[in-house]
Amino acid sequence: MTFIGEFIGTFILVLLGNGVVAACVLNKTKAQNSGWIAIVLGWGIAVTVAVYVSGFLSGAHLNPAVTIAMAVIGNLAWNQVPVYLIAQFLGAMFASVALYLHYYPYWQETSDQSAILGSFATGPAIKHT
């Protein structure tokens, strides 16, 4: 049940969280230019729903950093770490594929490559290397 809980929870987290970003930044979506408040609220709801759905199955780590921290402090056996990590990575990947397929027509309408990348990753507002 741990694997299923982490997979479903991470899937929901990434699907809703990255989905709200895509909706706000890609051209011709109904939510285009909704702003950061919509994104923050959407991510907050994504985390809440993911935890409620998967919490009773796996503890809702939903993040490799949380899983590793739990193992380091002794709240999770190290032999369970690979199960959690694999489920989290697969859940995130499946959600990303679903988002890719769903928002594909909008990416065709969006010429700003940073907006497309922003659907899956963060970057600095002002690049300074």
Side-chain angles (χ1 to χ4, degrees), residues 75-112:
N75 287 350
L76 180 68
W78 280 101
N79 66 342
Q80 286 292 311
V81 170
V83 173
Y84 276 82
L85 296 183
I86 291 168
Q88 291 161 358
F89 278 93
L90 288 176
M93 285 187 245
F94 275 66
S96 295
V97 168
L99 284 171
Y100 175 81
L101 295 173
H102 178 74
Y103 281 103
Y104 186 77
Y106 300 98
W107 287 330
Q108 299 299 331
E109 299 294 328
T110 304
S111 60
D112 182 3

Side-chain angles (χ1 to χ4, degrees), residues 28-45:
K28 297 188 179 180
T29 63
K30 298 282 186 185
Q32 184 180 6
N33 296 322
S34 294
W36 67 271
I37 292 176
I39 292 171
V40 171
L41 183 61
W43 266 103
I45 291 169

Side-chain angles (χ1 to χ4, degrees), residues 59-80:
H61 294 185
L62 310 179
N63 184 326
V66 173
T67 299
I68 292 168
M70 296 294 265
V72 167
I73 64 172
N75 287 350
L76 180 68
W78 280 101
N79 66 342
Q80 286 292 311

Side-chain angles (χ1 to χ4, degrees), residues 1-16 46 49-51 53-55 57-64 67 80-98:
M1 292 312 252
T2 298
F3 183 89
I4 293 169
E6 287 299 305
F7 178 87
I8 292 171
T10 306
F11 180 88
I12 290 170
L13 176 70
V14 172
L15 185 74
L16 297 179
V49 170
V51 168
V53 167
S54 67
L57 292 171
S58 66
H61 294 185
L62 310 179
N63 184 326
T67 299
Q80 286 292 311
V81 170
V83 173
Y84 276 82
L85 296 183
I86 291 168
Q88 291 161 358
F89 278 93
L90 288 176
M93 285 187 245
F94 275 66
S96 295
V97 168

